[in-house]
């Protein structure tokens, strides 16, 4: 990626580089090239609209994986105040791939939990690139149980390729930890809002994704398997990931149409990494908009609302034997 641009953005990157060069040349040589610059800027605006207005599913996957895409900790620091991070699962240890704690949302105490994939290389390695071990999910469950006990709404940020697939994770009960989270989240009597901010991969994402409302950033994706994994299974060729991305219907628009996602949160032109602070503002607005109706529900209504949401996902036909 040149200057943070993805391969399909190359024509736009080259045009913007040309505009920058002309502006620099104008300043250095004191030559008026405002007309030429204006022409190129208009062309760039048209090209930008053409590129980002017709993104394929695979291109959206690339944006969701962008190295500079804001992480959960960015959103916690910019949307909430008084964040106090809590650590450990009280069973094994602390998993930095899952962060969580208590914070305030416009003065209201909430519990915030999310996948954290890290920023620079050292941080990414320390956080296992956002792939949690079972102790991460148990930490998340402990924090959610605490929130349920004290009546705090739960906000979950989803951004992971999936749960860590290593032997050590299986030895410590990876599948059991995920399954327990699914069961427990279904019964919590406080509002739960989940937001897919980047990648939403398989059970690793769903383990903190059972909420009353599921929101999704415009260029995020949410899927039972990665496009590469699906391609390897369907065609025995991971190189057909682009075809798999289209077939899986994993984009925000697809999932909204299928009734899986309740709201799509817009992103700045080019993706969240182009203006992280603006993206935080969009997310905060969506959280507040969806939280208010949930606060008016009784605990029993919240549980029923959550059950109904997931029961209504999908289509099926009942065949009565004759």
């Amino acid at each position: 990626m040149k200057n943070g641009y993805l391969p399909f953005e190359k024509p736009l990157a080259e045009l913007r580089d040309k505009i920058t060069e002309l502006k620099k040349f104008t300043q250095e040589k004191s030559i008026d090239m405002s007309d030429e610059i204006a022409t190129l800027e208009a062309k760039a605006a048209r090209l930008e609209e053409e590129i980002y207005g017709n993104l394929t599913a695979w291109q959206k996957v690339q944006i969701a994986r962008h190295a500079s895409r804001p992480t959960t900790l960015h959103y916690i620091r910019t949307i909430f105040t008084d964040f106090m991070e809590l650590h450990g699962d009280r069973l094994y240890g602390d998993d930095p791939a899952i962060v969580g704690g208590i914070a305030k949302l416009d003065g209201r105490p909430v519990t915030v939990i999310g996948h954290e994939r890290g920023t620079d290389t050292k941080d990414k390695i320390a956080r296992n690139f956002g792939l949690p071990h079972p102790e991460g999910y148990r930490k998340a469950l402990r924090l959610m149980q605490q929130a349920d006990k004290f009546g705090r709404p739960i906000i979950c940020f989803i951004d992971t390729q999936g749960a860590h697939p290593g032997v050590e994770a299986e030895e410590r009960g990876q599948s059991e930890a995920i399954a327990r989270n699914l069961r427990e989240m279904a019964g919590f009597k406080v509002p739960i809002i989940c937001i897919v901010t980047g990648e939403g991969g398989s059970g690793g994402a769903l383990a903190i994704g059972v909420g009353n409302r599921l929101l999704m950033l415009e260029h995020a994706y949410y899927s039972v398997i990665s496009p590469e994994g699906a391609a390897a299974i369907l065609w025995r060729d991971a190189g057909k990931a682009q075809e798999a991305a289209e077939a899986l219907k994993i984009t925000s628009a697809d999932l909204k149409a299928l009734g899986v996602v309740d709201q799509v949160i817009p992103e700045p032109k080019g993706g969240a990494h182009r203006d992280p602070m603006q993206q935080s503002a969009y997310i905060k607005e969506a959280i507040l908009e969806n939280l208010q109706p949930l606060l008016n529900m009784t605990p029993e209504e919240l549980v029923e609302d959550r059950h109904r949401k997931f029961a209504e996902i999908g289509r099926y036909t009942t065949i009565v034997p004759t």
Side-chain angles (χ1 to χ4, degrees):
M1 293 186 293
K2 181 181 179 182
N3 297 326
Y5 285 97
L6 295 164
F8 67 87
E9 298 175 299
K10 183 179 177 181
L12 182 60
E14 293 175 345
L15 192 53
R16 284 178 172 165
D17 285 345
K18 182 64 175 177
I19 293 171
T20 301
E21 290 174 7
L22 284 179
K23 288 181 176 179
K24 183 179 179 181
F25 183 80
T26 297
Q27 292 176 349
E28 291 177 349
K29 304 299 183 180
S30 298
I31 299 175
D32 184 10
M33 301 190 70
S34 55
D35 290 342
E36 290 83 352
I37 293 172
T39 299
L40 290 178
E41 287 179 336
K43 183 178 179 181
R46 291 193 299 271
L47 183 59
E48 185 179 67
E49 190 63 37
E50 179 182 335
I51 291 175
Y52 300 125
N54 299 282
L55 291 171
T56 66
W58 179 244
Q59 288 169 340
K60 290 193 173 189
V61 169
Q62 290 178 284
I63 293 176
R65 294 173 174 174
H66 197 286
S68 299
R69 194 169 177 86
T71 67
T72 292
L73 280 175
H74 164 79
Y75 294 127
I76 289 176
R77 291 164 182 157
T78 55
I79 295 173
F80 306 91
T81 58
D82 304 308
F83 176 62
M84 179 173 66
E85 186 175 357
L86 302 176
H87 299 272
D89 67 343
R90 304 274 178 91
L91 289 171
Y92 179 84
D94 185 52
D95 184 357
I98 293 274
V99 296
I102 304 168
K104 288 184 178 179
L105 176 64
D106 280 358
R108 177 183 296 277
V110 297
T111 289
V112 187
I113 300 165
H115 301 97
E116 176 56 40
R117 55 186 172 80
T119 50
D120 57 30
T121 302
K122 182 178 179 181
D123 192 29
K124 289 178 185 290
I125 292 173
R127 297 185 183 278
N128 199 33
F129 299 88
L131 277 63
H133 288 76
E135 52 269 23
Y137 294 118
R138 293 184 177 121
K139 173 171 66 173
L141 179 59
R142 180 173 76 84
L143 300 185
M144 289 188 282
Q145 289 171 333
Q146 182 193 76
D148 190 54
K149 178 179 179 179
F150 293 103
R152 292 192 298 267
I154 299 169
I155 313 296
C156 296
F157 290 93
I158 298 169
D159 185 13
T160 183
Q161 292 182 11
H164 182 68
V167 173
E168 68 278 15
E170 296 299 333
E171 289 175 342
R172 297 200 292 271
Q174 184 73 288
S175 58
E176 186 275 341
I178 292 173
R180 183 179 295 272
N181 277 27
L182 302 182
R183 186 188 70 181
E184 296 298 318
M185 288 186 77
F188 287 141
K189 297 182 178 180
V190 295
I192 305 176
I193 295 178
C194 306
I195 308 113
V196 183
T197 60
E199 296 185 86
S202 194
L206 193 58
I208 60 169
V210 182
N212 296 91
R213 299 292 181 270
L214 178 62
L215 316 181
M216 190 170 173
L217 266 59
E218 182 181 359
H219 301 318
Y221 79 88
Y222 198 35
S223 175
V224 68
I225 191 172
S226 70
E228 294 89 341
I233 293 172
L234 294 173
W235 298 295
R236 300 187 183 278
D237 182 2
K240 293 188 175 182
Q242 296 186 42
E243 297 177 41
E246 295 291 343
L248 286 168
K249 303 297 182 185
I250 59 178
T251 68
S252 59
D254 290 328
L255 295 171
K256 180 68 168 65
L258 291 169
V260 177
V261 172
D262 297 294
Q263 181 178 336
V264 176
I265 302 173
E267 295 192 28
K269 192 77 73 175
H273 57 284
R274 294 296 175 196
D275 193 341
M277 293 304 296
Q278 182 63 65
Q279 188 63 71
S280 295
Y282 289 152
I283 293 175
K284 182 177 181 179
E285 180 182 356
I287 292 174
L288 292 172
E289 177 185 338
N290 285 273
L291 181 59
Q292 190 54 52
L294 298 177
L295 293 171
N296 296 327
M297 294 184 183
T298 65
E300 293 72 23
E301 287 172 338
L302 287 167
V303 174
E304 176 58 29
D305 174 79
R306 207 172 303 131
H307 286 182
R308 183 173 58 252
K309 170 181 171 53
F310 283 86
E312 290 177 352
I313 294 175
R315 300 289 184 270
Y316 59 90
T317 300
T318 301
I319 300 176
V320 180
T322 57

